[in-house]
Amino acid sequence: MNLTLKIWRQKGPNDKGQMVDYNVTEISEHMSFLEMMDVLNEQLINAGEEPVAFDHDCREGICGMCSMYINGEAHGPDRGVTTCQLHMRMFKDGDTITIEPFRATAFPVLKDLVVDRTSFERIQQAGGFISVNTSGNTQDGNAIPIPKQDADDAMDAATCIGCGACVATCKNSSAMLFVGAKVSQYALLPQGRVEATERVQNMVAQMDLEGFGNCTNTGACEIECPKGISLENIARMNSEFMKASLKG
Ligand code: SF4
Ligand code: FES
């Protein structure tokens, strides 16, 4: 396939960016989107030009690093995949593909397609954990009976990889799908109930402090989420927050 790429280039956080056109040739339909970007970067390096900066790590849908906005969609046109899992067979010979960074006030652009998502890490640090004494007296998790549905829902919530596609997709740049998943994975399990009140209050407070917007129930986040995180997690977070407020 021969393709035209329109890519956001920005030298640094305080520089003005712009879309720049590139052509790539002989792209195999079996390549991943990131492999196609590797071909472009090899081409740029061979021509003595600056390669396009983009985030990636695992390249198998686990780490959540590969944040690209492709043809107006976070992680591109396929469903249930991250950019690294997106195949070039989703595109046609002669296509023009627009590639931008995830855009949100709380995800400032560092360079080209790389954004700073440490706001997510600060939300996690505010409460996305349980405190357990691991000195050897810890009760075996399997010895605590948990309803099957709760265990399944907690596991589903825990599959959130913190990629930020929900934020990039939301017209309000809301992080509530992400925070809802992180709150839910603990709220559903007995181990998470101990610190449930402070957890939801602290995580929501940090989310607001970072400048994420509010949820207005559009549901676009759920559609674009590569892990199929359900909107139910936002409802659960809101209910946890209400319960915590009444306690406080
Ligand atoms: S909820 Fe989905 S889209 Fe949002 S950070 Fe988690 S995995 Fe990514
Ligand atoms: S590079 Fe890890 S999820 Fe895409």
Side-chain angles (χ1 to χ4, degrees):
M1 280 189 284
N2 297 334
L3 303 162
T4 302
L5 308 175
K6 288 182 177 297
I7 303 182
W8 182 259
R9 301 300 313 259
Q10 183 174 332
K11 279 190 176 15
N14 301 317
D15 290 300
K16 197 168 174 293
Q18 59 174 344
M19 299 302 287
V20 179
D21 288 4
Y22 300 98
N23 292 313
V24 281
T25 56
E26 292 177 33
I27 298 297
S28 159
E29 61 172 8
H30 304 299
M31 281 181 182
S32 74
F33 200 85
L34 295 190
E35 284 167 339
M36 183 278 292
M37 293 296 291
D38 292 339
V39 170
L40 169 69
N41 275 347
E42 266 177 34
Q43 198 174 294
L44 291 174
I45 290 165
N46 290 338
E49 291 176 42
E50 178 85 9
V52 178
F54 62 88
D55 259 335
H56 60 101
D57 190 4
C58 70
R59 294 199 176 210
E60 53 182 347
I62 297 170
C63 73
M65 290 295 284
C66 52
S67 47
M68 285 189 202
Y69 212 66
I70 303 161
N71 284 350
E73 284 184 88
H75 297 302
D78 209 353
R79 287 287 165 269
V81 297
T82 51
T83 298
C84 59
Q85 296 172 303
L86 178 66
H87 279 98
M88 292 313 295
R89 67 180 75 103
M90 293 300 293
F91 302 92
K92 294 192 307 295
D93 182 38
D95 271 359
T96 297
I97 307 175
T98 305
I99 309 165
E100 297 169 87
F102 280 3
R103 294 193 190 277
T105 308
F107 288 168
V109 175
L110 295 176
K111 184 174 180 170
D112 297 335
L113 305 173
V114 179
V115 298
D116 179 355
R117 282 171 302 156
T118 50
S119 47
F120 266 17
E121 282 160 34
R122 288 187 290 273
I123 294 172
Q124 280 284 70
Q125 285 161 7
F129 53 83
I130 58 167
S131 305
V132 179
N133 180 348
T134 53
S135 60
N137 301 318
T138 322
Q139 187 178 358
D140 187 330
N142 289 330
I144 307 169
I146 296 168
K148 172 83 167 73
Q149 193 60 51
D150 287 355
D152 286 352
D153 290 347
M155 183 58 91
D156 286 347
T159 60
C160 164
I161 54 174
C163 66
C166 44
V167 173
T169 300
C170 176
K171 62 180 189 281
N172 309 318
S173 298
S174 169
M176 288 179 92
L177 196 64
F178 164 74
V179 182
K182 297 301 170 193
V183 165
S184 291
Q185 81 178 76
Y186 298 113
L188 285 157
L189 301 176
Q191 295 92 332
R193 292 308 319 167
V194 183
E195 294 157 303
T197 303
E198 311 90 78
R199 174 178 305 109
V200 70
Q201 287 178 328
N202 292 342
M203 291 182 85
V204 168
Q206 190 65 37
M207 174 179 81
D208 291 343
L209 201 64
E210 297 289 349
F212 291 104
N214 228 323
C215 172
T216 48
N217 293 319
T218 309
C221 54
E222 183 184 57
I223 293 167
E224 296 292 349
C225 171
K227 298 297 165 184
I229 299 295
S230 159
L231 286 178
E232 279 174 25
N233 291 293
I234 297 182
R236 190 176 295 105
M237 177 180 70
N238 287 336
S239 129
E240 286 291 313
F241 189 80
M242 283 298 290
K243 272 193 266 176
S245 308
L246 291 173
K247 268 193 191 172

